[in-house]
Amino acid sequence: MSVGTTPGGTTPAATTPAGTTPESERDAEFQEHEMILSPDFLSAAQITEMLTEDIDGVQQKLKTFLNFKNLHTCLKEAILLDYYVSGFLWARGMEFSVLQYSKFMTLLDMLLHNLRTLHMSLEDSIKWLGEVMAETGPSPSQKNEEWNVFNTKQANAVIDYLKISLFQHYKLYEFLFYSTREEIVIGTEQVLEVVKPSGGLFPDPLEEGISFDIYSTFIETPPKLDTEMKGLDQEQGPEESQSEANTSAEDPLVGFTIKDIKAVLDQVTDDIVIGIQTKINEKLQIQEEAFNARIEKLKKA
C-alpha cells in the first residue's frame, strides 16, 4: 500500500503492485499506446513536403519515398503507389493535421502489412482496425484526451474510407500478394519464324528491324531505269552501232555453193526418211506378232 497526502491528512491511495507507482504505470501505458501505430510510415518532414504538391507531385514524392523504380513494368508497384496516393489525397480533403496524416498513412501501411505478411483474413483485419481505432479515437472516459488522434467524426470517416478502398477489394489485394501471375507474364516467351526472302542479299526491312527509309537508301539495290539504259546506248560510239548493223545485215549463206546446199538437204532428208521408215517397220512387226499369236490360239481351240 502507498499513502497519498491530502490537505485534511493522509488517505490511502489505490493499491499498486510492489515496486510500482502510479506515475510508472502511466508511463508504461503511454509507451504501450505509442506502439500501436509505430513506427511512422512517413516522417513529419515528408508529409509537410507533400502538402505543397499537386496530384502529380504527390505521386512523384511517394514514388521516391517508397523506392518504386519499375512502375511501367511491375503491376504490384503501380497498384501500391495508387493505394497510398489515393489515401493521402483523401486525407488532404479531410484537412488532417500532420500527426493525423502520419497515423493515417501508417494505418494504411499496417493493414497491407497484416495482409501481405501475416495473411490476415478480412474478418481479422476488421477486428484489428476496430481495436486500433478504439485506441486512437476518442476515449469514452475522456481521461486520456492527449492520446486521441481522431475525433468521432474523423474516426467514422476513416473507417468508411477503408471500407470502400481496401475491404471492398480485399480479394483483389490477396490475389496481388499471393498469386504468381506477374512472374508468368514476364517469363512468357514466344518464338516467331520468319520466312527468308527468295531473292536479294539482304532481308526485308521488317525482319531487319529498321525503317524503310534507311533500308531503301543504304541497303536496297536500286533498279536500273530505262533512262540509264538509254544513256548507256548513247555512250556507245557510232562505230560499234554501225558494225552491229552491218553484221545483222549480212547473209548467213554467204560462202556456200548450190551443190553444198543440196548435199546438206539430201543428207537431212535421208536421215528423216530413214527414221520414219524404222518406226513404221517396228510398228508393223509388233502388229504381225500380235496377229500370229491370235492365229495360234484359234488353231489350238
Side-chain angles (χ1 to χ4, degrees), residues 19 52 72 87 107 248:
T52 59
H72 297 291
L107 177 63
S248 60

Side-chain angles (χ1 to χ4, degrees), residues 202-259:
F202 299 95
D204 293 335
L206 290 179
E207 184 182 353
E208 188 71 13
I210 60 177
S211 63
F212 181 77
D213 296 336
I214 298 177
Y215 175 82
S216 59
T217 304
F218 301 103
I219 298 179
E220 183 182 19
T221 303
K224 293 183 179 181
L225 302 177
D226 296 337
T227 55
E228 294 180 358
M229 298 300 295
K230 292 180 181 179
L232 293 176
D233 294 339
Q234 293 177 358
E235 290 178 358
Q236 295 178 352
E239 296 179 357
E240 295 180 0
S241 59
Q242 186 66 28
S243 62
E244 292 178 357
N246 294 335
T247 303
S248 60
E250 291 180 357
D251 190 355
L253 299 179
V254 174
F256 293 93
T257 62
I258 296 176
K259 292 182 179 181

Side-chain angles (χ1 to χ4, degrees), residues 52-115:
T52 59
E53 300 287 344
D54 56 3
I55 297 177
D56 295 333
V58 171
Q59 182 172 351
Q60 291 299 323
K61 293 292 184 182
L62 277 174
K63 173 185 173 183
T64 304
F65 297 154
L66 299 175
N67 196 24
F68 286 165
K69 299 179 180 180
N70 302 313
L71 289 176
H72 297 291
T73 57
C74 182
L75 181 62
K76 183 181 295 185
E77 289 188 0
I79 293 175
L80 292 179
L81 181 63
D82 181 73
Y83 172 80
Y84 290 118
V85 170
S86 300
F88 187 87
L89 295 178
W90 178 85
R92 175 184 289 180
M94 293 294 296
E95 297 181 353
F96 283 166
S97 64
V98 175
L99 176 61
Q100 290 172 335
Y101 270 108
S102 177
K103 295 304 179 183
F104 176 71
M105 297 302 294
T106 304
L107 177 63
L108 294 181
D109 183 65
M110 288 298 298
L111 286 169
L112 285 187
H113 172 77
N114 294 339
L115 170 61

Side-chain angles (χ1 to χ4, degrees), residues 162-178:
L162 292 175
K163 177 182 176 181
I164 64 174
S165 64
L166 177 62
F167 295 152
Q168 188 173 347
H169 308 288
Y170 206 77
K171 291 294 182 181
L172 296 178
Y173 283 97
E174 288 179 340
F175 179 80
L176 174 68
F177 291 120
Y178 303 153

Side-chain angles (χ1 to χ4, degrees), residues 290-301:
F291 284 129
N292 291 332
R294 291 180 181 178
I295 291 171
E296 291 295 331
K297 289 181 180 181
L298 293 174
K299 286 180 180 180
K300 291 179 180 180

Side-chain angles (χ1 to χ4, degrees), residues 7-78:
T10 60
T11 58
T15 304
T16 59
T20 61
T21 62
E23 289 76 9
S24 62
E25 289 182 357
R26 181 180 177 85
D27 293 339
E29 187 178 358
F30 181 80
Q31 291 175 2
E32 182 181 358
H33 180 271
E34 284 295 311
M35 292 174 61
I36 294 175
L37 292 177
S38 298
D40 293 335
F41 176 66
L42 295 174
S43 65
Q46 291 173 334
I47 294 174
T48 304
E49 185 177 349
M50 288 193 298
L51 287 176
T52 59
E53 300 287 344
D54 56 3
I55 297 177
D56 295 333
V58 171
Q59 182 172 351
Q60 291 299 323
K61 293 292 184 182
L62 277 174
K63 173 185 173 183
T64 304
F65 297 154
L66 299 175
N67 196 24
F68 286 165
K69 299 179 180 180
N70 302 313
L71 289 176
H72 297 291
T73 57
C74 182
L75 181 62
K76 183 181 295 185
E77 289 188 0

